[in-house]
Amino acid sequence: MYVADSRAAGTPAPASADGAVRHPAGRRRAAVAPTVLALGTVSLITDVSSEMVTAVLPLYLVAGLGLSPLGFGLLDGVYNGFSAVVRLAGGHLADRGGGRHKAVAGLGYGISALCKPLLLLAHTLTPIGLILAADRTGKGLRTAPRDALISLSSPPESRGRAFGVHRAMDTAGALLGPLVAFWILRATVDGYDAVFTVSSCVAVVGVLVLVLFVPGRTATTTATATAATTAEAARPTLRAALALLRTRELRRITVCAVLLGLATVSDSFVYLLLQRRLGVPDRWFALLPLGTAAAFLLLAVGAGRLADRVGRWRVFLAGHVALLAAYGLLLTSWHGTALPYVVLLLHGAFYAATDGVLMAAASDRVPEGLRSTGLAVVQTGQALARFACSLLFGAAWTVWGDRTALLASAVALAVCAAWCSLTLRPAREAAV
């Protein structure tokens, strides 16, 4: 179904103010490029490896090593936010030299693969924190170049769908990872060590697929490299990268991503809250991420296509409404058997409507020669905000309890979403 269209690199369709792209009459819609499928395969394999660790890490740290919620919040913030310090560097390095996207992404995947076996040797807070920081450094290096390759390989009118397909394949790995971790925990005596060992082996396979099957350049990046030699404005210099921060459109996108990220509770905390509400046994904890992953997998492509048609910001903000509904359910006194299914469905819908859609929206506002850097600006702001949220939520849980901490996050999310809906509404954007 998803095969390349030879006309994908043609004249882009015009975009409306809110991110919806109009298709010229009579033109066949471009399908997803082979580069997107190859990167999706790499992400699928890598996410099997990563989610094996992520699925057991909260329980391993809190129940196995006895960390407090504050200590776990610190490590979780490192795991999810440390990559922010290197995303800009990764994006800038990828744009230099006419587009080294594959090389920088490969370096990031390689660093993360090397970190997995080191978890076998760490049993205290400091070394585990350092290993997670190194692992997230790899993620920070690879994320923006990978998304830039997806964007540059896809015409504007189908970028939402391209990111949706990639995120669906990525999430298939996220769905398989916890299943593998669950099976290993039940089948082995030293379950955690076995999980970390298998995870490292799978990560190496992902790196090999990237090296062998992902093309180093797209037609767009090649054209950009040629143009950069003749026009100073097109050169991906450090000065040009910093100038992106003064671009009004990109700045508004980044501010909204930061504000919403400050009120987005970490996945691990959501699963811990569900476990406490329902009394889920430890051996079943690794299955909770499957609900989120399954919903994300089923909805990602549809959300991307919907964003292409009705507007990317409408879908992006609707995803945060779904997340707010999930928080609301966790705050109620309802303990029905359907509670975890509904919460995890809403949690997955949030990711389907925001993850790839945000990158598609940001791609429309960044020049091709600085695509990787521009996406890194948005990703960095969002990652720093979620890092801060993990620290604040862990501290609030320790001091006030889990319910009060979640209530504060829900109120903050509602306020931020309301402000962003006014800031990014189509009527205002059309007047800019």
Side-chain angles (χ1 to χ4, degrees), residues 257-275:
V258 167
L259 289 177
L260 292 168
L262 284 172
T264 302
V265 177
S266 166
D267 297 357
S268 298
F269 276 125
V270 171
Y271 303 142
L272 286 172
L273 287 166
L274 267 178
Q275 186 198 33

Side-chain angles (χ1 to χ4, degrees), residues 33-104:
T35 298
V36 177
L37 298 179
L39 287 168
T41 302
V42 174
S43 293
L44 187 156
I45 296 171
T46 302
D47 250 37
V48 171
S49 171
S50 298
E51 294 302 321
M52 286 175 62
V53 175
T54 302
V56 302
L57 195 61
L59 196 63
Y60 175 65
L61 295 174
V62 175
L65 300 183
L67 291 181
S68 67
L70 178 59
F72 176 72
L74 176 61
L75 279 182
D76 190 66
V78 169
Y79 191 72
N80 291 290
F82 189 82
S83 61
V85 301
V86 294
R87 290 196 186 201
L88 287 173
H92 180 65
L93 288 174
D95 285 333
R96 295 282 292 182
R100 301 172 181 167
H101 302 94
K102 177 180 176 178
V104 177

Side-chain angles (χ1 to χ4, degrees), residues 63-378:
L65 300 183
L67 291 181
S68 67
L70 178 59
F72 176 72
L74 176 61
L75 279 182
D76 190 66
V78 169
Y79 191 72
N80 291 290
F82 189 82
S83 61
V85 301
V86 294
R87 290 196 186 201
L88 287 173
H92 180 65
L93 288 174
D95 285 333
R96 295 282 292 182
R100 301 172 181 167
H101 302 94
K102 177 180 176 178
V104 177
L107 177 62
Y109 280 110
I111 291 174
S112 294
L114 291 174
C115 289
K116 297 298 190 301
L118 296 180
L119 289 170
L120 294 167
L121 307 176
H123 301 286
T124 57
L125 180 63
T126 300
I128 291 176
L130 292 174
I131 293 170
L132 294 181
D135 178 75
R136 295 302 89 181
T137 297
K139 182 175 177 61
L141 285 173
R142 71 179 183 251
T143 301
R146 180 203 66 198
D147 285 349
L149 277 173
I150 295 171
S151 173
L152 293 169
S153 300
S154 309
E157 65 267 22
S158 63
R159 280 185 188 141
R161 180 168 55 159
F163 277 103
V165 170
H166 174 268
R167 294 319 195 249
M169 297 180 71
D170 181 272
T171 307
L175 188 64
L176 293 172
L179 283 175
V180 176
F182 174 73
W183 177 80
I184 292 174
L185 287 176
R186 289 180 61 87
T188 60
V189 176
D190 297 324
Y192 294 118
D193 288 349
V195 168
F196 299 150
T197 301
V198 175
S199 174
S200 62
C201 296
V202 175
V204 171
V205 175
V207 175
L208 291 176
V209 173
L210 174 75
V211 172
L212 296 175
F213 297 104
V214 175
R217 293 172 180 263
T218 64
T220 307
T221 58
T222 302
T224 301
T226 302
T229 63
T230 59
E232 176 66 27
R235 292 176 185 168
T237 62
L238 182 60
R239 182 178 180 180
L242 294 176
L244 287 174
L245 298 174
R246 297 193 295 269
T247 304
R248 183 179 183 184
E249 290 298 327
L250 187 64
R251 186 171 64 247
R252 289 169 63 195
I253 291 172
T254 304
V255 168
C256 288
V258 167
L259 289 177
L260 292 168
L262 284 172
T264 302
V265 177
S266 166
D267 297 357
S268 298
F269 276 125
V270 171
Y271 303 142
L272 286 172
L273 287 166
L274 267 178
Q275 186 198 33
R276 291 198 170 204
R277 281 285 306 274
L278 302 175
V280 177
D282 290 353
R283 66 180 181 276
W284 298 104
F285 182 84
L287 293 182
L288 291 179
L290 294 182
T292 297
F296 192 177
L297 175 63
L298 293 174
L299 299 174
V301 177
R305 296 185 67 175
L306 182 65
D308 287 336
R309 297 179 63 182
V310 305
R312 286 157 189 163
W313 288 118
R314 290 190 178 95
V315 175
F316 180 74
L317 292 173
H320 286 86
V321 173
L323 182 63
L324 185 61
Y327 292 171
L329 288 175
L330 288 172
L331 289 168
T332 65
S333 58
W334 181 36
H335 286 78
T337 56
L339 175 63
Y341 302 102
V342 177
V343 169
L344 295 175
L345 174 63
L346 291 170
H347 198 224
F350 158 70
Y351 278 112
T354 59
D355 191 8
V357 171
L358 177 62
M359 291 297 96
S363 297
D364 296 335
R365 309 299 181 186
V366 180
E368 292 178 355
L370 292 168
R371 184 64 52 81
S372 184
T373 305
L375 296 184
V377 168
V378 180

